């Protein structure tokens, strides 16, 4: 005789749980969904993602798998021309869950990654959201995608800002406020400029003692818009001497559907001490000379138009990111006269989907780089992509 007999109620419960687990673990694909959906113990989960091939031909200098404006060769330089590369690093996989809570609505959890982490899975998003509170890593609360035009290149246009970082955010209606990682996206105080590529070098004494504060108000619809602000502290501390400066930034963006087929988009970002809150910012947020921290002013913007044609849409857009190194040069910051001062990009692409879950895109892009000294250069990139989603 079984020494641990199961009563009839326990047996029926176990069988019900077993049948439910088996049927749900099959994760049958819904005909109306682009994800694999399941439900276990009241939690709804979706597994989503895509496999994507990108093929790139750089007519001039090699700009990298993701656009690196600093790689644009100057007219005064001799650079190797004609570079082909292909990769599937943009391929993505994510898991999103929704769990009913006794109070305050549903709990949402998202974990998502791609393969731009040197061939390994790179964390893109990892956050929980409940009752207006979000905690974890996701896109910065500062500007958003509102005014950014679509590109085939995985890196969004210069002069915008959409990077992801750790944060604690609260949202009520169209208003959201967040405390964000001050040393990640925003960057740190620079001690000099690398003469070889014009990029700032982080000071060994740079520190982050406070989180960045971001506030955003936005709305989505036929007319989508946002207005946002970021406030931050930039500091250095040698252990005996320290100094800090106040940084700030503002952003505005709009997307307007003019007709059923034509949408225009525009955005602007400006501030002092912005750092990486301005995508591909040529300048550091600040620099230190003689132990004193001085912020660097920067401005960026995007303008684009998208026209639906056939199974897809044509987009023409232009973007700019500019930093003001004048004061740094006057202050004698090492290498400042060789700093990158301005990046510009123009994109023309066609992205289409002739059948569900399969998307193709082709793009021609013209990129420019200019130093504070006036030296400049340009480069052309041709790119194509094929994406297969689930």
């Amino acid at each position: 005789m079984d020494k641990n007999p199961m009563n009839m109620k326990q047996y029926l419960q176990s069988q019900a749980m077993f049948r439910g687990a088996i049927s749900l673990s099959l994760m049958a694909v819904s005909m109306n969904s682009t994800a694999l959906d399941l439900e276990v113990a009241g939690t709804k989960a979706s597994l989503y993602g895509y496999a994507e091939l990108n093929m790139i031909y750089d007519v001039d200098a090699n700009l990298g798998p993701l656009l690196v404006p600093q790689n644009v060769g100057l007219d005064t330089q001799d650079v190797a021309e004609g570079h082909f590369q292909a990769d599937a690093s943009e391929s993505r996989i994510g898991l999103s869950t929704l769990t009913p809570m006794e109070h305050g609505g549903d709990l949402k959890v998202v974990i998502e990654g791609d393969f731009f982490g040197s061939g390994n899975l790179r964390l893109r998003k990892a956050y929980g959201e409940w009752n207006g509170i979000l905690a974890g890593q996701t896109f910065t609360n500062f500007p958003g995608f509102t005014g950014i035009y679509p590109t085939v290149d995985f890196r969004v246009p210069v002069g915008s800002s959409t990077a992801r970082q750790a944060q604690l955010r609260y949202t009520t209606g169209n208003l959201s406020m967040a405390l964000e990682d001050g040393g990640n996206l925003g960057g740190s105080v620079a001690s000099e400029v690398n003469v070889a590529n014009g990029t700032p070098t982080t000071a060994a004494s740079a520190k982050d003692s406070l989180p960045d504060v971001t506030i955003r108000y936005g709305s989505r619809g036929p007319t989508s818009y946002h207005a946002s602000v970021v406030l931050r502290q930039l500091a250095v501390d040698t252990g005996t001497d320290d100094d800090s400066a106040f940084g700030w930034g503002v952003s505005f963006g709009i997307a307007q559907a003019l007709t059923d087929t034509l949408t225009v988009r525009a955005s602007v970002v400006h501030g002092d001490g912005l750092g990486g809150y301005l995508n591909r910012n040529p300048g550091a947020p600040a620099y230190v000379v003689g132990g004193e921290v001085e912020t660097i002013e920067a401005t960026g913007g995007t303008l684009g138009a998208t026209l639906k044609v056939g199974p897809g849409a044509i987009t023409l857009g232009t973007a700019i990111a500019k930093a003001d190194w004048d004061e740094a040069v006057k202050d004698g910051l090492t290498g400042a006269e060789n700093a990158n001062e301005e990046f510009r990009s123009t994109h023309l692409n066609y992205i289409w989907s002739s059948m569900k879950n399969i998307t193709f895109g082709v793009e021609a892009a013209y990129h420019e780089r200019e130093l504070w000294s006036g030296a400049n250069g340009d480069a052309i990139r041709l790119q194509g992509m094929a994406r297969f989603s689930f």
Side-chain angles (χ1 to χ4, degrees):
M1 181 180 292
D2 188 347
K3 295 181 179 179
N4 296 290
M6 178 184 293
N7 61 38
M8 183 60 67
K9 181 178 180 181
Q10 291 174 322
Y11 175 81
L12 293 175
Q13 288 176 336
S14 66
Q15 289 301 301
M17 292 174 64
F18 176 78
R19 289 192 298 270
I22 291 297
S23 63
L24 294 172
S25 65
L26 293 177
M27 298 169 61
V29 180
S30 170
M31 294 301 292
N32 298 318
S33 174
T34 58
L36 303 175
D37 300 321
L38 65 140
E39 183 174 343
V40 178
T43 294
K44 297 179 180 179
S46 293
L47 182 68
Y48 64 91
Y50 56 77
E52 179 169 327
L53 171 68
N54 270 282
M55 304 183 77
I56 299 170
Y57 183 74
D58 286 321
V59 177
D60 304 289
N62 186 348
L63 304 181
L66 293 172
L67 170 66
V68 180
Q70 293 89 337
N71 288 359
V72 173
L74 301 175
D75 292 342
T76 56
Q77 297 175 326
D78 292 324
V79 297
E81 299 179 346
H83 305 270
F84 173 80
Q85 56 189 303
D87 66 71
S89 298
E90 189 179 334
S91 300
R92 182 180 307 176
I93 187 167
L95 176 67
S96 175
T97 67
L98 203 64
T99 304
M101 304 294 285
E102 292 184 6
H103 306 285
D106 296 335
L107 168 65
K108 179 181 180 181
V109 176
V110 174
I111 300 177
E112 179 182 293
D114 63 27
F115 295 88
F116 267 111
S118 300
N120 300 316
L121 185 65
R122 176 186 70 162
L123 181 67
R124 286 174 51 83
K125 300 177 183 178
Y127 67 87
E129 188 174 9
W130 171 77
N131 201 26
I133 300 172
L134 180 150
Q137 176 172 301
T138 187
F139 289 104
T140 172
N141 183 55
F142 176 49
F145 288 89
T146 311
I148 302 175
Y149 60 84
T151 61
V152 173
D153 197 315
F154 188 39
R155 176 155 281 161
V156 296
V158 302
S160 57
S161 183
T162 58
R164 299 166 297 276
Q165 66 179 1
Q167 60 191 272
L168 176 63
R169 182 191 302 182
Y170 178 70
T171 301
T172 175
N174 293 333
L175 179 67
S176 55
M177 299 158 282
L179 299 177
E180 307 195 23
D181 181 3
N184 177 38
L185 177 58
S188 299
V189 179
S191 60
E192 62 180 13
V193 175
N194 187 312
V195 176
N197 59 20
T199 58
T201 300
T202 299
S205 58
K207 74 169 187 178
D208 303 298
S209 55
L210 292 173
D212 296 343
V213 178
T214 61
I215 303 171
R216 182 177 186 274
Y217 185 88
S219 178
R220 300 183 65 84
T223 300
S224 298
Y225 63 88
H226 82 260
S228 57
V229 61
V230 57
L231 306 173
R232 54 200 315 259
Q233 182 194 60
L234 298 150
V236 293
D237 191 342
T238 64
T240 55
D241 298 309
D242 63 90
D243 191 44
S244 64
F246 173 73
W248 61 272
V250 293
S251 173
F252 303 95
I254 187 169
Q256 176 66 57
L258 298 181
T259 69
D260 291 339
T261 58
L262 179 63
T263 299
V264 294
R265 300 177 176 88
S267 69
V268 62
V269 183
H270 177 75
D272 209 2
L274 270 172
Y277 284 101
L278 175 65
N279 184 38
R280 301 294 97 189
N281 186 346
Y287 61 93
V288 56
V289 171
E292 294 187 358
V293 177
E294 301 290 344
T295 54
I296 297 176
E297 188 175 282
T299 303
T302 64
L303 178 64
T306 299
L307 179 66
K308 294 181 182 178
V309 178
I314 296 174
T315 294
L316 175 63
T318 187
I320 185 174
K322 185 174 183 178
D324 186 352
W325 287 98
D326 289 352
E327 291 302 317
V329 173
K330 291 178 182 178
D331 289 340
L333 178 67
T334 302
E337 66 278 2
N338 296 303
N340 292 303
E341 185 174 57
E342 188 172 315
F343 297 138
R344 297 181 295 273
S345 295
T346 299
H347 300 84
L348 175 62
N349 60 56
Y350 183 59
I351 301 173
W352 74 97
S353 179
S354 55
M355 62 186 72
K356 184 180 179 181
N357 293 5
I358 300 178
T359 304
F360 300 100
V362 291
E363 180 173 271
Y366 178 64
H367 302 289
E368 300 173 89
R369 173 167 76 112
E370 185 173 337
L371 307 189
W372 179 88
S373 63
N376 58 75
D378 53 50
I380 294 175
R381 161 167 284 194
L382 306 176
Q383 186 166 350
M385 69 91 167
R387 177 183 297 173
F388 307 92
S389 307
F390 65 90

